[in-house]
Amino acid sequence: MNQWVKLVGRNALRHRLRKSLTIAGLTVSILAFGVLQTIVNTWYLGVDNAVPGRLLTRNAVSFTLPLPRIYEKRILAVDGVQGLSYVNWFGGIYKDPKNFFPQFAIEPTSFLKLHPEILIPEQSRSAFLRDRRGAIVGRKLANRYGFKAGDIIQLRGTIFPGTWEFVIHGIFDGRDPQTETTQLLFHWDYLNETLRVRSKAQADQVGFFVVDVTSIDRVTEVSQKIDSLFQNSLSETRTETERAFQIGFVKQTEAILISIRVVSFIVVFITLAVMANTIAMTARERLAEYATLKALGFGPGYVMGLILGESLIISLIGGTLAIALTFPVTALIGELTTTLFPSLIVSGCTLASQLLAALGVGALAALAPMRGAAGVNIVDGLRARG
């Protein structure tokens, strides 16, 4: 066994330039595979982190259409509802259209109560609640643009026309790394009062209601009761769990996510082809050595093991390097795409997939050379020398 290990190790160090280039290509491809898988998994974070007992009530036709604010009292009266808030997507532009980040007009007291994952110092919370023009921003958003408490910023409205001015009263953090901290939150009353002057048709409307249910077991029952209240009205509702809402949003980009996954597997397949070519070239160059080993009494299995071991060592080195580089690369991408992804976190499943992909490439790349070396005729193999 020790002799076999020594031979495999020495073989792996031969043709160093070729092996180095192969390892570099394998590293890049497995790294790309891991990063792409992390991006896809991050896109589903909103689904995975959804609170089971939190419902969202939106317009039944489309979540882009508003609902009357007056629905609030009727929803609160439904048996099983213990809390409610309302939200509007704002969609303003900060300085330049490329500076995209989520902005929501909220009813602050109820919204922060229903979202305990948003952590903000009490002093900042109090200042925010007192000021109609006040706003709070997530930590990642603040870091990106240098926002700090006391700053006055302006957004140019797209859905709601005009220039809107906000005073930042605090920076909020997330209860865990998956909590989105790339948002700007401000008072719905400030939005509504301004719309009553600028655009009365848009006033007194909300994008969706956030509903807190007394028990997870009553989620379906409460959803049906809320929607039945507004059947045959001008603005019928659709109430669903936060998870279902997030899934519906993700499905709009499902084709893109599938494409990303396909590309990640194509990258691995291309690496398999390159790796197979390298191992095949190496095996052809060593036919005389394999024939000599057979002549000395070593069986085909021993020869096949040498090829497989060398291939696995190369793939393991490339895979290990790729896994080590995955963390800094995803961190860099996360910094560059702060407003798109709340947090790019490399999961243990992704790391395991990278390692399995690397070892799988090594094993598959060695199959054909192993079969060729095992079946080589001793005389023909010895003639291959020179």
Side-chain angles (χ1 to χ4, degrees):
M1 184 65 181
N2 289 337
Q3 185 185 37
W4 178 84
V5 173
K6 288 180 180 179
L7 280 174
V8 170
R10 288 176 180 175
N11 285 341
L13 294 175
R14 294 164 68 179
H15 301 291
R16 294 186 180 182
L17 177 60
R18 182 194 302 167
K19 300 291 176 58
S20 297
L21 293 174
T22 302
I23 289 173
L26 183 65
T27 300
V28 171
S29 62
I30 297 299
L31 171 62
F33 173 75
V35 170
L36 290 173
Q37 291 298 317
T38 299
I39 290 173
V40 173
N41 293 339
T42 300
W43 204 255
Y44 286 97
L45 271 181
V47 176
D48 298 333
N49 296 326
V51 177
R54 210 152 60 195
L55 301 177
L56 298 180
T57 298
R58 61 175 178 85
N59 194 296
V61 178
S62 170
F63 64 80
T64 61
L65 297 177
L67 291 172
R69 156 78 189 285
I70 58 175
Y71 282 10
E72 176 190 10
K73 292 182 179 179
R74 297 181 66 183
I75 295 174
L76 272 172
V78 172
D79 182 36
V81 173
Q82 65 177 359
L84 179 141
S85 189
Y86 42 89
V87 180
N88 263 82
W89 169 265
F90 186 68
I93 296 173
Y94 176 65
K95 294 184 178 180
D96 190 281
K98 68 180 181 181
N99 297 332
F100 169 82
F101 55 86
Q103 308 133 22
F104 293 99
I106 63 170
E107 197 297 303
T109 303
S110 57
F111 184 88
L112 293 176
K113 182 179 179 181
L114 294 183
H115 295 80
E117 66 270 24
I118 295 177
L119 306 179
I120 184 169
E122 188 57 41
Q123 183 177 357
S124 299
R125 179 194 292 259
S126 299
F128 169 55
L129 294 177
R130 288 194 302 266
D131 185 1
R132 287 290 182 92
R133 291 193 307 136
I136 55 175
V137 298
R139 178 70 60 185
K140 288 188 176 181
L141 182 62
N143 291 341
R144 180 177 183 183
Y145 294 105
F147 295 149
K148 58 184 182 298
D151 285 352
I152 298 176
I153 65 171
Q154 290 184 340
L155 299 178
R156 187 170 75 253
T158 53
I159 302 171
F160 307 102
T163 299
W164 302 76
E165 192 172 84
F166 304 96
V167 180
I168 296 178
H169 285 294
I171 312 297
F172 66 83
D173 293 290
R175 185 172 54 190
D176 50 64
Q178 291 79 21
T179 302
E180 186 170 357
T181 58
T182 61
Q183 304 170 325
L184 179 145
L185 307 175
F186 65 95
H187 288 252
W188 182 88
D189 284 342
Y190 172 49
L191 171 68
N192 196 56
E193 290 169 1
T194 307
L195 287 177
R196 285 177 177 174
V197 177
R198 295 182 183 177
S199 179
K200 291 185 179 180
Q202 292 179 297
D204 300 313
Q205 296 180 336
V206 302
F208 57 90
F209 293 96
V210 183
V211 181
D212 188 25
V213 181
T214 55
S215 170
I216 297 176
D217 298 330
R218 303 191 65 184
V219 163
T220 302
E221 172 196 347
V222 172
S223 299
Q224 292 173 347
K225 285 182 178 180
I226 292 174
D227 292 340
S228 66
L229 289 175
F230 309 105
Q231 281 185 349
N232 302 318
S233 65
L234 292 176
S235 298
E236 295 188 354
T237 63
R238 178 177 178 178
T239 303
E240 54 196 352
T241 62
E242 193 173 66
R243 178 182 176 83
F245 179 85
Q246 294 287 357
I247 289 174
F249 179 76
V250 168
K251 281 187 174 181
Q252 296 183 64
T253 56
E254 196 167 29
I256 298 175
L257 299 179
I258 292 174
S259 299
I260 292 175
R261 284 196 186 276
V262 170
V263 168
S264 68
F265 286 108
I266 289 175
V267 168
V268 174
F269 179 78
I270 293 173
T271 305
L272 172 61
V274 174
M275 183 78 172
N277 182 63
T278 299
I279 300 302
M281 288 176 62
T282 301
R284 282 197 301 269
E285 293 170 354
R286 298 178 188 164
L287 283 179
E289 297 176 21
Y290 299 147
T292 302
L293 287 171
K294 280 189 169 184
L296 293 174
F298 292 96
Y302 188 87
V303 174
M304 293 169 68
L306 291 176
I307 297 174
L308 178 61
E310 183 178 358
S311 182
L312 289 178
I313 286 177
I314 294 172
S315 62
L316 186 60
I317 293 172
T320 302
L321 290 173
I323 290 172
L325 290 171
T326 299
F327 293 96
V329 171
T330 51
L332 177 61
I333 294 175
E335 291 178 5
L336 297 175
T337 58
T338 303
T339 55
L340 289 178
F341 304 108
S343 182
L344 279 176
I345 298 176
V346 183
S347 67
C349 182
T350 297
L351 298 179
S353 298
Q354 286 179 286
L355 182 59
L356 289 175
L359 294 177
V361 166
L364 292 174
L367 286 180
M370 285 166 58
R371 183 162 44 174
V376 68
N377 182 276
I378 294 177
V379 175
D380 293 337
L382 292 174
R383 285 176 179 170
R385 185 186 300 274

